[in-house]
Amino acid sequence: TTFAGLTVSTAEAPGPATHMLLYLNEDSFSDARLADQVQQARKDKLKIVMAHENDPDLGGCLFSRFFEVTPQELIADGLYKDLARSCFPGRHHPVSLALLAKDLGATPARSGSVASMSRLSASIAEHGSRLFLKISRRSSATTTTAGDGSGGEATVSVDSVEAAASAEAAQEHV
């Protein structure tokens, strides 16, 4: 699948993960699996990019909730030292997704081009939100690598068969 200026690879054997996307909503840390995955990502020295959902229809909640539900050892280890990217609904949604993609390493096809960034943002908003919504309600982690379309690729990896099936189904709609 190709977004304007960004290539998403669905290759059988993705390269090593460089990032972990930690989607934070009211369901985050509802079971121990997510905490285990975050601990493993930190052990593997992956960059953890946090997306804080703000849309109540998608489980958005106040950030303070995460200090109540996140295991204390993760908080003490500095999980929330870096800021989470806020994901806003409505007209701000495309910008939220573009900034999140940038945090994951995506770049416009032509660096510095306002038009390219607008096309990338619009494309992610139009196509990417469907994939994002499919995996967003899960408490399992997603690892992502991204490139700029000049030979590099963005790879989305999921850690379970159930999540992989959802991501695969979402790709059919993109």
Side-chain angles (χ1 to χ4, degrees):
T1 302
T2 302
F3 299 105
L6 181 68
T7 302
V8 177
S9 171
T10 57
E12 291 289 324
T18 59
H19 296 74
M20 175 181 172
L21 175 59
L22 178 56
Y23 182 78
L24 299 170
N25 73 357
E26 66 185 8
D27 298 323
S28 296
F29 297 104
S30 59
D31 67 42
R33 291 181 304 165
L34 182 58
D36 293 342
Q37 293 165 346
V38 171
Q39 286 174 333
Q40 185 63 51
R42 292 178 70 79
K43 181 180 171 187
D44 294 343
K45 306 223 184 287
L46 294 179
K47 179 179 180 180
I48 298 176
V49 175
M50 295 177 285
H52 171 217
E53 183 59 68
N54 283 274
D55 186 344
D57 293 338
L58 299 174
C61 59
L62 294 174
F63 195 83
S64 59
R65 172 175 168 66
F66 306 119
F67 290 102
E68 298 169 8
V69 298
T70 304
Q72 286 303 305
E73 62 270 11
L74 290 176
I75 294 172
D77 195 32
L79 176 63
Y80 296 128
K81 180 182 170 189
D82 292 327
L83 296 177
R85 176 66 65 193
S86 292
C87 297
F88 294 104
R91 65 187 179 126
H92 302 291
H93 190 68
V95 174
S96 296
L97 290 179
L99 292 172
L100 186 58
K102 184 178 176 185
D103 290 346
L104 291 166
T107 58
R110 284 175 245 141
S111 293
S113 166
V114 174
S116 292
M117 188 53 123
S118 287
R119 285 191 304 273
L120 174 60
S121 174
S123 182
I124 289 172
E126 181 182 341
H127 302 291
S129 61
R130 287 178 282 187
L131 175 59
F132 189 73
L133 291 175
K134 287 283 187 182
I135 62 174
S136 66
R137 297 296 285 182
R138 307 217 178 275
S139 63
S140 60
T142 301
T143 54
T144 305
T145 59
D148 63 3
S150 61
E153 292 183 334
T155 303
V156 177
S157 303
V158 287
D159 65 347
S160 71
V161 173
E162 180 182 9
S166 293
E168 194 173 289
Q171 284 295 328
E172 293 174 8
H173 297 290
V174 175

